[in-house]
Amino acid sequence: QKYIVKNYFYYYLFRFSAALGQEVFYITFLPFTHWNIDPYLSRRLVIIWVLVMYVGQIAKDILKWPRPFSPPVVKLEERMIAEYGMPSTHAMAATAISFTLLISTMDRYQYPFVLGLLMAVVFSTLVCLSRIYTGMHTVLDVLGGILITAVLIVFTYPAWTLIDRLDSASPLFPVCAIVVPFVLCYNYPASDYYSPTRADTTTIMAAGAGVTIGFWINHFFQLVSAPTESLPVLQNIPPLTTDMLVLGLTKFTVGIVLILLVRQLVQNLSLQVLYSWFKVVTRNKEARRRLEIEVPYKFVTYTSVGICATTFVPMLHRFLGLL
């Protein structure tokens, strides 16, 4: 599609805002929160993010509402065109992350609640508006995503503390954390044509499973002390200093490099095993889209990434003296 940008401020603002609801944001913000801010917060964010995204992705392929027609709109994201429209998972994820972060920090850190609420509203609003600006969703898609997320947060909030404790409930917990998400991904609703929805859902579910198992490993082997439900005294948010910034960026860089290495290694290895098992030509890129190959390799890869981010990266930080 050819189009002319008449307002570069809105164009770059909403293209950037759209990126806040994509993989590049999740793979940076969530690990950064775990390594540099508070593992307690990252665990809650990941759990709610996985739940909300799974519900949203499933709803898309059940409802099968088309995206806005073009023309009249101009669609700025080619990869997402093959997916259905209702609900907007960008809107769901942005709303879930911003307001889960707000709710989870109220009893842990001392800051003006109005300021936190304003930041949550601004963040989620920018992402929601970006979906309309980029031509990927209607207003109804966005409002549907916000409403579904609000309902999920309200109904699951009483169980958040219980969910936090599940990673130490039983030695068999890792089995459930792997089997249940894998079965859900493998039995994902069939689509009339191929879209990246199933692959994206598997990536999200696998990352959540890996993070959950990583927390279980940390607790079971006492690698780190378990975070408390709430601090006895509200902590003041420490001022950002140069030393703190350098340390945080160093930890983040070390962690991301290790994650990318693990991701590439496990992905290549799992694909080779699956190609050999199903006797598929290695260079056949279409084979990756087959159910029996796409789901297992995605699930193994991103489960490994989740475990690495929560267990092995902190161990490497400790070894390098960054903790």
Side-chain angles (χ1 to χ4, degrees):
Q1 290 179 302
K2 295 182 179 180
Y3 56 88
I4 298 175
V5 179
K6 295 182 179 180
N7 190 313
Y8 281 96
F9 174 77
Y10 287 139
Y11 178 78
Y12 288 113
L13 172 65
F14 289 124
R15 291 306 298 268
F16 174 77
S17 300
L20 297 178
Q22 296 172 354
E23 182 181 1
V24 65
F25 173 74
Y26 305 136
I27 205 171
T28 53
F29 175 74
L30 294 175
F32 185 88
T33 302
H34 180 78
W35 300 330
N36 292 297
I37 302 177
D38 192 344
Y40 171 86
L41 298 180
S42 69
R43 175 166 57 183
R44 284 199 169 186
L45 288 172
V46 169
I47 290 173
I48 300 303
W49 170 64
V50 169
L51 172 63
V52 165
M53 290 298 289
Y54 180 76
V55 171
Q57 298 284 70
I58 285 286
K60 279 186 178 183
D61 283 338
I62 292 177
L63 296 175
K64 297 185 178 180
W65 286 20
R67 290 188 182 273
F69 294 106
S70 177
V73 305
V74 177
K75 297 181 179 179
L76 302 182
E77 297 177 9
E78 295 182 0
R79 181 181 182 273
M80 301 295 181
I81 292 178
E83 295 184 2
Y84 293 107
M86 170 64 86
S88 167
T89 48
H90 274 70
M92 295 181 70
T95 304
I97 287 179
S98 56
F99 283 92
T100 298
L101 187 63
L102 174 66
I103 295 170
S104 299
T105 54
M106 288 190 305
D107 62 344
R108 292 180 70 80
Y109 298 97
Q110 188 171 10
Y111 63 89
F113 174 77
V114 175
L115 177 61
L117 179 62
L118 179 62
M119 293 177 64
V121 170
V122 169
F123 176 85
S124 55
T125 300
L126 282 175
V127 175
C128 291
L129 291 177
S130 74
R131 309 317 294 153
I132 300 172
Y133 180 88
T134 55
M136 304 311 296
H137 287 286
T138 64
V139 174
L140 186 59
D141 295 340
V142 171
L143 292 178
I146 296 173
L147 179 61
I148 293 173
T149 302
V151 171
L152 288 173
I153 289 178
V154 169
F155 278 93
T156 60
Y157 176 71
W160 284 9
T161 301
L162 174 62
I163 295 173
D164 284 337
R165 296 173 177 172
L166 286 179
D167 61 3
S168 59
S170 168
L172 298 178
F173 179 74
V175 178
C176 297
I178 292 177
V179 172
V180 173
F182 182 80
V183 171
L184 290 175
C185 294
Y186 205 84
N187 291 278
Y188 191 84
S191 180
D192 298 332
Y193 55 89
Y194 180 81
S195 75
T197 313
R198 184 182 65 199
D200 292 344
T201 304
T202 304
T203 297
I204 294 167
M205 296 289 285
V211 167
T212 304
I213 294 170
F215 277 112
W216 180 88
I217 292 173
N218 294 341
H219 176 85
F220 188 80
F221 293 100
Q222 298 181 347
L223 299 179
V224 294
S225 57
T228 56
E229 296 177 17
S230 61
L231 299 175
V233 179
L234 292 177
Q235 283 189 341
N236 290 317
I237 299 177
L240 182 63
T241 63
T242 303
D243 292 342
M244 184 183 298
L245 180 61
V246 171
L247 177 62
L249 291 177
T250 303
K251 291 168 67 175
F252 177 75
T253 303
V254 169
I256 286 296
V257 169
L258 182 58
I259 281 180
L260 293 177
L261 289 175
V262 168
R263 175 184 175 274
Q264 195 62 40
L265 177 63
V266 176
Q267 176 176 286
N268 291 342
L269 182 60
S270 59
L271 280 173
Q272 290 298 326
V273 171
L274 289 167
Y275 285 157
S276 176
W277 180 270
F278 292 104
K279 297 179 173 58
V280 175
V281 178
T282 305
R283 295 182 180 180
N284 183 3
K285 294 183 179 180
E286 291 297 320
R288 287 193 181 192
R289 297 182 173 185
R290 289 168 50 177
L291 172 65
E292 64 273 19
I293 293 179
E294 183 177 63
V295 172
Y297 103 79
K298 285 277 187 181
F299 197 87
V300 171
T301 298
Y302 287 94
T303 299
S304 302
V305 167
I307 295 174
C308 176
T310 50
T311 300
F312 295 107
V313 170
M315 291 174 63
L316 179 60
H317 287 164
R318 187 176 295 107
F319 176 77
L320 296 176
L322 299 175
L323 292 181

mmCIF file of all heavy atoms in Angstrom, residues 132-157:
data_model
loop_
_atom_site.group_PDB
_atom_site.id
_atom_site.type_symbol
_atom_site.label_atom_id
_atom_site.label_comp_id
_atom_site.label_asym_id
_atom_site.label_seq_id
_atom_site.Cartn_x
_atom_site.Cartn_y
_atom_site.Cartn_z
ATOM 1 N N ILE A 132 -5.701 1.769 16.205
ATOM 2 C CA ILE A 132 -6.648 2.413 15.295
ATOM 3 C C ILE A 132 -5.884 3.206 14.237
ATOM 4 O O ILE A 132 -6.205 3.150 13.052
ATOM 5 C CB ILE A 132 -7.604 3.333 16.078
ATOM 6 C CG1 ILE A 132 -8.383 2.515 17.117
ATOM 7 C CG2 ILE A 132 -8.559 4.047 15.133
ATOM 8 C CD1 ILE A 132 -9.213 3.364 18.070
ATOM 9 N N TYR A 133 -4.836 3.912 14.665
ATOM 10 C CA TYR A 133 -4.048 4.729 13.734
ATOM 11 C C TYR A 133 -3.384 3.856 12.667
ATOM 12 O O TYR A 133 -3.343 4.236 11.487
ATOM 13 C CB TYR A 133 -2.988 5.505 14.502
ATOM 14 C CG TYR A 133 -2.117 6.381 13.628
ATOM 15 C CD1 TYR A 133 -2.497 7.686 13.319
ATOM 16 C CD2 TYR A 133 -0.925 5.907 13.103
ATOM 17 C CE1 TYR A 133 -1.706 8.492 12.512
ATOM 18 C CE2 TYR A 133 -0.124 6.703 12.289
ATOM 19 C CZ TYR A 133 -0.521 7.983 12.003
ATOM 20 O OH TYR A 133 0.270 8.766 11.194
ATOM 21 N N THR A 134 -2.846 2.698 13.062
ATOM 22 C CA THR A 134 -2.155 1.827 12.106
ATOM 23 C C THR A 134 -3.116 1.012 11.250
ATOM 24 O O THR A 134 -2.683 0.234 10.399
ATOM 25 C CB THR A 134 -1.202 0.866 12.844
ATOM 26 O OG1 THR A 134 -1.940 0.126 13.841
ATOM 27 C CG2 THR A 134 -0.075 1.631 13.511
ATOM 28 N N GLY A 135 -4.421 1.167 11.471
ATOM 29 C CA GLY A 135 -5.406 0.490 10.646
ATOM 30 C C GLY A 135 -5.586 -0.984 10.954
ATOM 31 O O GLY A 135 -6.182 -1.723 10.166
ATOM 32 N N MET A 136 -5.123 -1.430 12.115
ATOM 33 C CA MET A 136 -5.180 -2.848 12.449
ATOM 34 C C MET A 136 -6.443 -3.235 13.214
ATOM 35 O O MET A 136 -6.807 -4.410 13.268
ATOM 36 C CB MET A 136 -3.945 -3.243 13.272
ATOM 37 C CG MET A 136 -2.625 -2.924 12.579
ATOM 38 S SD MET A 136 -2.535 -3.506 10.872
ATOM 39 C CE MET A 136 -2.620 -5.268 11.120
ATOM 40 N N HIS A 137 -7.108 -2.269 13.836
ATOM 41 C CA HIS A 137 -8.298 -2.576 14.628
ATOM 42 C C HIS A 137 -9.325 -1.463 14.530
ATOM 43 O O HIS A 137 -8.973 -0.293 14.284
ATOM 44 C CB HIS A 137 -7.931 -2.786 16.107
ATOM 45 C CG HIS A 137 -7.221 -4.063 16.380
ATOM 46 N ND1 HIS A 137 -7.852 -5.284 16.384
ATOM 47 C CD2 HIS A 137 -5.917 -4.310 16.657
ATOM 48 C CE1 HIS A 137 -6.968 -6.237 16.662
ATOM 49 N NE2 HIS A 137 -5.785 -5.661 16.820
ATOM 50 N N THR A 138 -10.564 -1.833 14.756
ATOM 51 C CA THR A 138 -11.630 -0.846 14.893
ATOM 52 C C THR A 138 -11.708 -0.399 16.352
ATOM 53 O O THR A 138 -11.092 -1.020 17.235
ATOM 54 C CB THR A 138 -12.974 -1.439 14.484
ATOM 55 O OG1 THR A 138 -13.316 -2.510 15.392
ATOM 56 C CG2 THR A 138 -12.929 -1.988 13.068
ATOM 57 N N VAL A 139 -12.481 0.644 16.589
ATOM 58 C CA VAL A 139 -12.695 1.106 17.961
ATOM 59 C C VAL A 139 -13.348 -0.004 18.785
ATOM 60 O O VAL A 139 -13.015 -0.206 19.960
ATOM 61 C CB VAL A 139 -13.578 2.372 17.971
ATOM 62 C CG1 VAL A 139 -13.924 2.781 19.400
ATOM 63 C CG2 VAL A 139 -12.866 3.510 17.251
ATOM 64 N N LEU A 140 -14.261 -0.765 18.164
ATOM 65 C CA LEU A 140 -14.932 -1.852 18.865
ATOM 66 C C LEU A 140 -13.950 -2.946 19.274
ATOM 67 O O LEU A 140 -14.056 -3.504 20.377
ATOM 68 C CB LEU A 140 -16.038 -2.438 17.990
ATOM 69 C CG LEU A 140 -16.934 -3.495 18.644
ATOM 70 C CD1 LEU A 140 -17.633 -2.906 19.873
ATOM 71 C CD2 LEU A 140 -17.947 -4.033 17.640
ATOM 72 N N ASP A 141 -12.976 -3.264 18.420
ATOM 73 C CA ASP A 141 -11.939 -4.252 18.758
ATOM 74 C C ASP A 141 -11.172 -3.829 20.005
ATOM 75 O O ASP A 141 -10.896 -4.638 20.904
ATOM 76 C CB ASP A 141 -10.951 -4.421 17.602
ATOM 77 C CG ASP A 141 -11.587 -5.002 16.356
ATOM 78 O OD1 ASP A 141 -12.661 -5.612 16.471
ATOM 79 O OD2 ASP A 141 -10.991 -4.849 15.274
ATOM 80 N N VAL A 142 -10.797 -2.560 20.035
ATOM 81 C CA VAL A 142 -10.010 -2.026 21.150
ATOM 82 C C VAL A 142 -10.827 -2.030 22.439
ATOM 83 O O VAL A 142 -10.356 -2.472 23.499
ATOM 84 C CB VAL A 142 -9.508 -0.610 20.826
ATOM 85 C CG1 VAL A 142 -8.876 0.031 22.056
ATOM 86 C CG2 VAL A 142 -8.502 -0.652 19.683
ATOM 87 N N LEU A 143 -12.070 -1.543 22.351
ATOM 88 C CA LEU A 143 -12.922 -1.510 23.538
ATOM 89 C C LEU A 143 -13.212 -2.931 24.038
ATOM 90 O O LEU A 143 -13.268 -3.165 25.246
ATOM 91 C CB LEU A 143 -14.231 -0.781 23.228
ATOM 92 C CG LEU A 143 -14.112 0.723 22.946
ATOM 93 C CD1 LEU A 143 -15.482 1.307 22.603
ATOM 94 C CD2 LEU A 143 -13.511 1.447 24.149
ATOM 95 N N GLY A 144 -13.386 -3.868 23.116
ATOM 96 C CA GLY A 144 -13.594 -5.259 23.511
ATOM 97 C C GLY A 144 -12.399 -5.816 24.256
ATOM 98 O O GLY A 144 -12.543 -6.512 25.265
ATOM 99 N N GLY A 145 -11.188 -5.488 23.777
ATOM 100 C CA GLY A 145 -9.980 -5.954 24.457
ATOM 101 C C GLY A 145 -9.850 -5.375 25.852
ATOM 102 O O GLY A 145 -9.496 -6.089 26.805
ATOM 103 N N ILE A 146 -10.140 -4.087 25.998
ATOM 104 C CA ILE A 146 -10.065 -3.440 27.313
ATOM 105 C C ILE A 146 -11.070 -4.054 28.277
ATOM 106 O O ILE A 146 -10.757 -4.341 29.443
ATOM 107 C CB ILE A 146 -10.308 -1.921 27.186
ATOM 108 C CG1 ILE A 146 -9.189 -1.275 26.362
ATOM 109 C CG2 ILE A 146 -10.402 -1.262 28.558
ATOM 110 C CD1 ILE A 146 -9.445 0.187 26.039
ATOM 111 N N LEU A 147 -12.295 -4.282 27.794
ATOM 112 C CA LEU A 147 -13.344 -4.835 28.652
ATOM 113 C C LEU A 147 -13.011 -6.246 29.108
ATOM 114 O O LEU A 147 -13.158 -6.574 30.293
ATOM 115 C CB LEU A 147 -14.681 -4.826 27.899
ATOM 116 C CG LEU A 147 -15.885 -5.394 28.660
ATOM 117 C CD1 LEU A 147 -16.141 -4.592 29.935
ATOM 118 C CD2 LEU A 147 -17.127 -5.405 27.771
ATOM 119 N N ILE A 148 -12.540 -7.088 28.197
ATOM 120 C CA ILE A 148 -12.175 -8.464 28.558
ATOM 121 C C ILE A 148 -11.062 -8.462 29.598
ATOM 122 O O ILE A 148 -11.099 -9.215 30.576
ATOM 123 C CB ILE A 148 -11.754 -9.252 27.309
ATOM 124 C CG1 ILE A 148 -12.943 -9.452 26.375
ATOM 125 C CG2 ILE A 148 -11.172 -10.606 27.701
ATOM 126 C CD1 ILE A 148 -12.577 -10.064 25.041
ATOM 127 N N THR A 149 -10.072 -7.593 29.411
ATOM 128 C CA THR A 149 -8.956 -7.512 30.362
ATOM 129 C C THR A 149 -9.432 -7.058 31.731
ATOM 130 O O THR A 149 -9.013 -7.602 32.760
ATOM 131 C CB THR A 149 -7.889 -6.543 29.830
ATOM 132 O OG1 THR A 149 -7.447 -6.980 28.558
ATOM 133 C CG2 THR A 149 -6.701 -6.494 30.784
ATOM 134 N N ALA A 150 -10.302 -6.054 31.746
ATOM 135 C CA ALA A 150 -10.828 -5.559 33.023
ATOM 136 C C ALA A 150 -11.570 -6.662 33.769
ATOM 137 O O ALA A 150 -11.407 -6.833 34.987
ATOM 138 C CB ALA A 150 -11.759 -4.366 32.778
ATOM 139 N N VAL A 151 -12.363 -7.440 33.051
ATOM 140 C CA VAL A 151 -13.107 -8.545 33.672
ATOM 141 C C VAL A 151 -12.143 -9.593 34.222
ATOM 142 O O VAL A 151 -12.309 -10.091 35.351
ATOM 143 C CB VAL A 151 -14.079 -9.177 32.657
ATOM 144 C CG1 VAL A 151 -14.685 -10.460 33.225
ATOM 145 C CG2 VAL A 151 -15.184 -8.195 32.294
ATOM 146 N N LEU A 152 -11.110 -9.936 33.451
ATOM 147 C CA LEU A 152 -10.141 -10.941 33.896
ATOM 148 C C LEU A 152 -9.388 -10.472 35.145
ATOM 149 O O LEU A 152 -9.161 -11.256 36.077
ATOM 150 C CB LEU A 152 -9.150 -11.252 32.770
ATOM 151 C CG LEU A 152 -9.698 -12.054 31.591
ATOM 152 C CD1 LEU A 152 -8.661 -12.134 30.475
ATOM 153 C CD2 LEU A 152 -10.092 -13.458 32.037
ATOM 154 N N ILE A 153 -8.997 -9.204 35.175
ATOM 155 C CA ILE A 153 -8.278 -8.677 36.338
ATOM 156 C C ILE A 153 -9.174 -8.702 37.574
ATOM 157 O O ILE A 153 -8.750 -9.113 38.663
ATOM 158 C CB ILE A 153 -7.764 -7.253 36.053
ATOM 159 C CG1 ILE A 153 -6.612 -7.304 35.048
ATOM 160 C CG2 ILE A 153 -7.295 -6.578 37.338
ATOM 161 C CD1 ILE A 153 -6.071 -5.938 34.666
ATOM 162 N N VAL A 154 -10.414 -8.254 37.427
ATOM 163 C CA VAL A 154 -11.337 -8.200 38.560
ATOM 164 C C VAL A 154 -11.605 -9.598 39.121
ATOM 165 O O VAL A 154 -11.591 -9.806 40.338
ATOM 166 C CB VAL A 154 -12.663 -7.528 38.143
ATOM 167 C CG1 VAL A 154 -13.721 -7.710 39.225
ATOM 168 C CG2 VAL A 154 -12.444 -6.048 37.868
ATOM 169 N N PHE A 155 -11.820 -10.566 38.246
ATOM 170 C CA PHE A 155 -12.177 -11.911 38.708
ATOM 171 C C PHE A 155 -10.980 -12.718 39.200
ATOM 172 O O PHE A 155 -11.139 -13.619 40.026
ATOM 173 C CB PHE A 155 -12.893 -12.680 37.593
ATOM 174 C CG PHE A 155 -14.360 -12.354 37.483
ATOM 175 C CD1 PHE A 155 -14.794 -11.369 36.618
ATOM 176 C CD2 PHE A 155 -15.296 -13.009 38.260
ATOM 177 C CE1 PHE A 155 -16.136 -11.042 36.518
ATOM 178 C CE2 PHE A 155 -16.649 -12.697 38.179
ATOM 179 C CZ PHE A 155 -17.075 -11.710 37.299
ATOM 180 N N THR A 156 -9.785 -12.417 38.707
ATOM 181 C CA THR A 156 -8.612 -13.182 39.148
ATOM 182 C C THR A 156 -7.874 -12.532 40.299
ATOM 183 O O THR A 156 -7.076 -13.201 40.970
ATOM 184 C CB THR A 156 -7.616 -13.369 37.978
ATOM 185 O OG1 THR A 156 -7.185 -12.068 37.500
ATOM 186 C CG2 THR A 156 -8.255 -14.153 36.849
ATOM 187 N N TYR A 157 -8.117 -11.239 40.551
ATOM 188 C CA TYR A 157 -7.370 -10.536 41.591
ATOM 189 C C TYR A 157 -7.423 -11.233 42.955
ATOM 190 O O TYR A 157 -6.384 -11.338 43.632
ATOM 191 C CB TYR A 157 -7.870 -9.095 41.725
ATOM 192 C CG TYR A 157 -7.200 -8.345 42.848
ATOM 193 C CD1 TYR A 157 -5.867 -7.959 42.756
ATOM 194 C CD2 TYR A 157 -7.892 -8.044 44.022
ATOM 195 C CE1 TYR A 157 -5.243 -7.284 43.790
ATOM 196 C CE2 TYR A 157 -7.271 -7.367 45.060
ATOM 197 C CZ TYR A 157 -5.952 -6.988 44.940
ATOM 198 O OH TYR A 157 -5.330 -6.335 45.969
#
